Amino acid sequence: MAVDRKQQIIEAATNSFSLFGYKATTMDQVARLANVGKGTIYTFFKNKEELFDEIIQSLIAEMREVAEEAVDPSLSFYENAHRALFQILQFRKRHQLTIKLFQEGKEMGTPAVIEVMTMMEDAILSFIKEKISLAVEVGEIKPCNPEVTAFVMLKLYISLIFDWEQRKEPLSEEEILRLFELYLFEGLSI
Amino acid sequence: MAVDRKQQIIEAATNSFSLFGYKATTMDQVARLANVGKGTIYTFFKNKEELFDEIIQSLIAEMREVAEEAVDPSLSFYENAHRALFQILQFRKRHQLTIKLFQEGKEMGTPAVIEVMTMMEDAILSFIKEKISLAVEVGEIKPCNPEVTAFVMLKLYISLIFDWEQRKEPLSEEEILRLFELYLFEGLSI
DNA sequence: GGAATGACTAAATGAACAAAATGGTCATTA
DNA sequence: TAATGACCATTTTGTTCATTTAGTCATTCC
């Protein structure tokens, strides 16, 4: 075959998921968009959910790459934490697919979407956790539970970037970095 | 009548809201529970939402009182934050109403509930902000934007109590206080 | 011969309609 | 004159059924 049918299917599905969401994307539509018979999809993917999962796994891998790229070994842990988290969240903001799915998960509660969003969050948490564990070992930050700390960091970031934006003027990247530093690293005590 | 009908209605409604939520509480039910004709409710309250609002206003006032009582001017900001936080924790446990409404707002998105939860959040934020401003003026904590700081404190608190519980074993009160202290006051830096 | 296909089926979905429940009113009652 | 519950308009819930959809498989095509 001249063209890679599997790739065609993945691209068609990604486009449709991005545009209409998971539920509103039909396998007929994916087949049509991919210029492929519907049955062909099932020679590459067991079912709709597996096709979806494979797309999300790529997305997660891409996110990890972006985050990893943001890390600069010559910088401090807190600066790197900020850079990585900021990049991940910006990535999420930029990619139509993540935006659409976030919406669908919240508004319609589609189970497959919720499952996948949890996977994405877990991937982010596991990435941060890894970095925290390392920083603790090296003695760059105080000993702490890496799992809870990763969770708190992510939540703090989401609060500052997404939630704060709902009520007030968005914070600039510099402000976010400064706040991150102030609250999580220096602490408020005199 | 010997008994205060308005009070009866408020108590019945509070019970039902706590037990079944706002939407699932019918005015017939409130009337029945209050041993009152349905029309009587409407001599005291314009409609269901006003009855709800009045109950929430009391709840907010009560929360403020509880928090205010916990504050001891002779203690440090840090210690007072502990005490207020602890009291609010205890308060939350006593009031299924808050929990039920929080759930309903998130899961069903009942507009009246969302509106009221926003009011509660604003009340809490304004309370914390006030205390932070004072502490900064007195030089008890580092200078910081009181509004953002209050926001971050509340979000951290909600993350630790509600969100963490969704994925892992709930944290004990002692653990929550310890984490709050570690992340916000001491900071992670060595 | 084996990959690709699209007509086919069982299951899921949602539109449309009917029935029940609910918020709010008001004439009657005590 | 305050309290009430039958009553009404509207909303919500339950049900039916035609349509749509995910997934299969006999047939086609290279």
Side-chain angles (χ1 to χ4, degrees), chain B residues 138-153:
Chain B
V138 179
E140 249 194 299
I141 61 172
K142 286 180 188 157
C144 59
N145 180 329
E147 196 155 13
V148 181
T149 307
F151 182 76
V152 165
M153 277 189 169

Side-chain angles (χ1 to χ4, degrees), chain A residues 78-79 82 86 90 157 160-161 170-182:
Chain A
Y78 104 82
E79 226 164 333
H82 162 74
F86 194 80
Q90 289 302 319
Y157 245 82
L160 289 175
I161 294 193
L171 300 158
S172 72
E173 185 177 352
E174 292 73 33
E175 283 174 305
I176 290 170
L177 170 62
R178 175 67 199 121
L179 292 172
F180 196 63
E181 185 188 0
L182 172 61

Side-chain angles (χ1 to χ4, degrees), chain A residues 94-154:
Chain A
R94 267 199 316 272
H95 274 71
Q96 188 58 36
L97 179 55
T98 52
I99 297 168
K100 193 76 200 177
L101 292 179
F102 189 73
Q103 247 185 302
E104 190 174 346
K106 246 174 101 162
E107 284 170 17
M108 314 176 64
T110 319
V113 174
I114 290 176
E115 195 186 299
V116 139
M117 294 305 282
T118 307
M119 285 171 62
M120 283 187 62
E121 199 178 289
D122 284 346
I124 297 173
L125 284 175
S126 124
F127 177 85
I128 310 174
K129 184 179 160 186
E130 206 179 277
K131 300 293 170 193
I132 293 172
S133 293
L134 244 127
V136 170
E137 266 173 46
V138 179
E140 231 187 317
I141 60 172
K142 285 180 187 156
C144 59
N145 180 331
E147 196 155 13
V148 180
T149 307
F151 183 76
V152 165
M153 277 188 174
L154 182 59

